[in-house]
Amino acid sequence: MPIVCNELLGRELIKIYQDTESFNFSIDSMLLADFVSITARCKSICDLCTGNAPIPLYLSLRSKANIIGVEVQEHSYNLAIDSVKVNKLENQITIIHDNLIDISNKIGKSKFDVVTCNPPFFKVGNHQINPKDSKAIARHEILATLEDIIKEASKLLNTRGRFALVHRPERLPEILELFKKYHIEPKRLRLVYPRVGMECNHILIEGIKDGAVDGLRIEGPLYVYKDDNTWTDEVLKIYNYTKE
């Protein structure tokens, strides 16, 4: 398993360890880490399904909050630990090797200002399972379902805390239903498109725990590629994030 240390962002701000034969972080994580609302009052963040920790690493640029990443797969957990160490962020980021189900009983209920998640997108049985377990677990709801994730996020969040999720558009009705079920009021929704003229292939959604009913804002579309297959200016800005 070849391990490499790459730049997470475009200006050598953050390094991240990856296994070139395993399931690596994608642009989804960067879009989510940029999308989620982070205020100056944010003191605690939890990232579920953290993988090799791209979202905690990115959020360390946006906030001084304490960040916990939860990852069930040991290999990804070890890469996350190495990534935190190489960036000297041990005082800000803690990585936990555990299943996210009932993680609130271990790290604290109603404790977090922000919870994020780039989860497995596909239900078991709806798509062909990759025979390599690490990729299957990252892509399919084998160890935790969408409902498990939203339920746990609700337990972790304090009142008025924010939950941000990246997912597939076909799961939006289910996501909205589960947000409501677990008292997370949807407030922001953004559709992501590969390029102009193509169908939406990802959504970014954020809700507030025990938030006021109604008030969902549909933000402008986010296009990833230009016609020449290069990244759009907005995506480049996300990848070239610098502290203000």
Side-chain angles (χ1 to χ4, degrees), residues 34 36-37 128 195-196 213 231:
D34 178 75
V36 62
S37 299
Q128 184 176 354
R195 55 178 51 82
V196 175
V213 177
W231 280 342

Side-chain angles (χ1 to χ4, degrees), residues 3-9 12-18 52-54 57-58 60 77-93 95:
I3 307 300
V4 297
C5 186
N6 293 329
E7 294 176 10
L8 177 67
L9 302 168
E12 300 186 5
L13 292 176
I14 297 289
K15 302 291 186 181
I16 186 167
Y17 280 95
Q18 299 192 90
N52 55 340
L57 293 172
Y58 192 107
S60 74
Y77 162 80
N78 289 331
L79 292 173
I81 290 290
D82 289 342
S83 296
V84 170
K85 288 180 179 178
V86 77
N87 292 291
K88 297 180 172 59
L89 290 169
E90 297 96 324
N91 291 333
Q92 184 178 12
I93 299 175
I95 307 297

Side-chain angles (χ1 to χ4, degrees), residues 23-172:
F23 187 86
N24 293 316
F25 81 92
S26 64
I27 191 173
D28 308 343
S29 295
M30 298 296 91
L31 298 183
L32 179 62
D34 178 75
F35 171 78
V36 62
S37 299
I38 304 290
T39 69
R41 292 177 294 178
C42 179
K43 302 299 182 185
S44 55
I45 299 171
C46 181
D47 181 49
L48 303 175
C49 306
T50 204
N52 55 340
I55 292 175
L57 293 172
Y58 192 107
L59 291 180
S60 74
L61 297 172
R62 296 189 58 197
S63 174
K64 297 184 182 300
N66 292 319
I67 304 170
I68 291 178
V70 179
E71 175 52 44
V72 68
Q73 298 202 68
E74 184 175 7
H75 187 48
S76 295
Y77 162 80
N78 289 331
L79 292 173
I81 290 290
D82 289 342
S83 296
V84 170
K85 288 180 179 178
V86 77
N87 292 291
K88 297 180 172 59
L89 290 169
E90 297 96 324
N91 291 333
Q92 184 178 12
I93 299 175
T94 301
I95 307 297
I96 295 175
H97 180 213
D98 209 334
N99 194 313
L100 63 88
I101 297 175
D102 292 328
I103 195 67
S104 60
N105 290 326
K106 301 176 183 179
I107 63 177
K109 294 181 178 179
S110 304
K111 175 181 175 180
F112 293 89
D113 299 307
V114 169
V115 175
T116 56
C117 186
N118 179 5
F121 288 156
F122 306 114
K123 294 182 179 182
V124 174
N126 286 15
H127 294 76
Q128 184 176 354
I129 300 293
N130 190 305
K132 190 170 183 179
D133 288 346
S134 63
K135 292 185 178 181
I137 291 170
R139 289 173 173 153
H140 300 267
E141 296 177 349
I142 295 172
L143 300 181
T145 65
L146 178 60
E147 181 164 10
D148 292 329
I149 291 164
I150 295 174
K151 179 180 180 180
E152 202 59 34
S154 181
K155 291 180 181 179
L156 291 165
L157 286 170
N158 55 38
T159 298
R160 306 291 298 172
R162 294 177 180 269
F163 175 51
L165 179 75
V166 59
H167 220 293
R168 301 280 293 185
E170 60 266 27
R171 303 291 297 273
L172 180 56

